[in-house]
Amino acid sequence: MPDKSSVIFGNPMDEKTIKKAQKNKEKFIKKFGDDSNKVYHLKPVPVPCLSSIGVQNLEQSEEPLKLPKNALIVGNIRMGFGHYRISIAMASCAKALGYEPYWFDLAHYDATGSKVIRYQNDLYSTASKISQKSKLFNKLFWEPLNCEGFKKITYNAPDQKAAELMAPLLHDFPKDVPYVATHVWPSQAAVHAGLTHVVNAIPDNWPMGLHLSEGAIHTVQTPFAYFGYKTLHGFDKKPLKGIPEEDLYMVGHYVDHELVSNIEADCQRRLARLEKGEPLRLLLTVGGAGAGAKQFLGMMKHLLPLVKEKKVAIFLNYGDHLSMHNYLCKKIPGFESQAHVYFNKYAELVKLADEIREKPAEGIYLIQNDDIFEAVYSTNLLMRDTDLMITKPSELVFYPIPKIFQRHIGGHEVYGAIHGREIGDATLECPDEKSMNEMIDILLKDKGAYRFLVHQILVNHKQGLYNGAYEVVKLAVNGRK
């Protein structure tokens, strides 16, 4: 197995970093065992709510996996909803281009590598939740770590060593199978396993050493990210060699085929609803951490009178948890009784999305699904038929729907918000409830301002900005030039 932690893109690591990386791997072996010589097998299992794009989930098996010639692996992990959503976009575009997508969540298995991922993910999730409750923790630790700490090239070395423990899970994959990773660990694992057609689809707009996976093709969604990775400027105190051109591509935004192929029709419906004076349909998302509760509460209190006046309709997706719902019910008496409730009613939600495509929507719609795939895809499902999405500036920055951004979580998300504002399909980031409510009122009162956001989506679409997932699939199939 080639070492990827002592030299990264031609940049030698110092002895301290190399030793730290090795100790990091040894720590995990001591904690979770060493299964480097174990042979893992996988089998495909259909994902019902993603049947339209043919996704099959790879579960552990006693028999070796047999893949068709047009198979494409989407390597991912669940870390919040973001990496799952990007994975769905990749699978969707793979299906549209004639390939069979297989879902490979490395955190899902009973294996050392999976335990390592779950352990680190739990730490990240806990710290993220603490950051929303403690301004001091957020200011002194969480924001600097997410922005500058993860940026250092030396941060990549321990991850590369740990990823060696994930390689056994890829035993069944042909070495030349097209493989798209939507998180760096599945990408690193694939490279360590000897796969040759690996694409590392980098999710954020802020360049970080965390996302490096030498041996894979790296893709980014923006010029800002491309230049950052091309030069690796700021990844160390001294100048570094950047990523070679054959290993780095700017492809555009990672978006589902179902959304991209319907952009023009969906935008025309938005403009038609605006002219008819129908309630503005707001799609609100609650992330896996359920963060930003105070801002969410202030926004809901502001919106409820507007719902009664039929100026807005609310579609609130809680994801796969109800902590935010319980909080809102506690703070707003009778909140649930005012709403249409779609808790674990995914089939009914699909029907609703079809109905409101041509018919008016009024009131409040509350959505929650215990199934992770349904929880994530509910937002995608409703995106086509809503007018304005309110979300933190995460992976949803890059989707073709007008957006208002809530306060970011982690410094890296700041640069996603800046990108959305600059391409014109989103507002600036609203850091508190006052600025959020002001922005909602502006877009309700000024039709020209809202119309501008919709127009910019159409402009961006003509330029191919939302075609990134198609390009990633093509790179995985064709490999390096």
Side-chain angles (χ1 to χ4, degrees), residues 54-74:
V55 174
Q56 296 195 74
N57 191 19
L58 293 175
E59 302 278 359
Q60 281 187 242
S61 173
E62 296 298 322
E63 301 295 328
L65 175 68
K66 294 181 180 179
L67 293 172
K69 291 183 178 180
N70 66 338
L72 181 139
I73 309 298
V74 182

Side-chain angles (χ1 to χ4, degrees), residues 143-375:
E143 287 273 354
L145 177 64
N146 273 273
C147 192
E148 297 301 333
F150 291 158
K151 188 178 184 70
K152 296 177 182 177
I153 193 170
T154 52
Y155 194 91
N156 188 245
D159 272 3
Q160 281 282 13
K161 267 297 173 189
E164 293 176 3
L165 299 172
M166 304 169 196
L169 285 165
L170 289 82
H171 175 273
D172 278 357
F173 298 157
K175 299 303 182 186
D176 61 350
V177 68
Y179 181 102
V180 174
T182 61
H183 186 282
V184 71
W185 294 337
S187 177
Q188 293 168 348
V191 172
H192 286 302
L195 272 61
T196 59
H197 283 55
V198 182
V199 175
N200 175 31
I202 297 174
D204 296 316
N205 193 34
W206 175 242
M208 295 189 287
L210 167 71
H211 292 307
L212 299 178
S213 178
E214 187 172 3
I217 294 173
H218 295 61
T219 62
V220 295
Q221 301 179 82
T222 73
F224 179 76
Y226 180 89
F227 193 79
Y229 287 106
K230 185 69 189 72
T231 63
L232 296 183
H233 179 70
F235 283 53
D236 197 81
K237 292 180 180 179
K238 62 180 183 295
L240 299 171
K241 296 178 182 178
I243 298 180
E245 288 186 14
E246 63 269 22
D247 289 339
L248 180 64
Y249 293 81
M250 183 178 70
V251 296
H253 296 187
Y254 311 141
V255 182
D256 313 51
H257 167 74
E258 292 72 28
L259 295 171
V260 177
S261 61
N262 289 291
I263 283 176
E264 292 184 5
D266 294 342
C267 283
Q268 291 306 320
R269 276 191 286 269
R270 289 181 182 119
L271 294 175
R273 288 193 291 268
L274 182 71
E275 295 309 314
K276 290 177 183 177
E278 291 185 17
L280 189 71
R281 302 174 179 185
L282 305 182
L283 176 58
L284 282 64
T285 67
V286 179
K294 184 179 179 181
Q295 186 179 22
F296 228 96
L297 175 63
M299 179 171 55
M300 292 305 301
K301 286 182 175 180
H302 182 74
L303 288 173
L304 288 177
L306 299 174
V307 172
K308 291 180 180 179
E309 296 171 15
K310 297 186 179 181
K311 292 182 179 180
V312 303
I314 296 175
F315 294 80
L316 175 51
N317 184 14
Y318 293 117
D320 61 351
H321 57 95
L322 286 172
S323 57
M324 184 66 77
H325 176 68
N326 295 333
Y327 175 76
L328 292 176
C329 288
K330 182 179 179 181
K331 297 292 183 178
I332 306 174
F335 175 68
E336 184 174 334
S337 64
Q338 305 175 48
H340 310 282
V341 180
Y342 290 81
F343 290 173
N344 289 309
K345 296 180 179 179
Y346 185 78
E348 293 183 25
L349 184 67
V350 173
K351 185 179 179 181
L352 173 69
D354 289 337
E355 290 175 350
I356 63 173
R357 190 155 297 158
E358 303 299 339
K359 296 179 180 179
E362 297 179 355
I364 303 171
Y365 301 81
L366 304 179
I367 300 104
Q368 185 269 341
N369 289 281
D370 294 335
D371 180 89
I372 178 61
F373 293 103
E374 294 177 353

Side-chain angles (χ1 to χ4, degrees), residues 260 263-264 267-268 400 454-467:
V260 177
I263 283 176
E264 292 184 5
C267 283
Q268 291 306 320
V454 177
H455 174 72
Q456 283 305 116
I457 291 174
L458 294 170
V459 170
N460 295 337
H461 178 47
K462 288 180 180 179
Q463 297 173 348
L465 184 64
Y466 304 111
N467 292 345

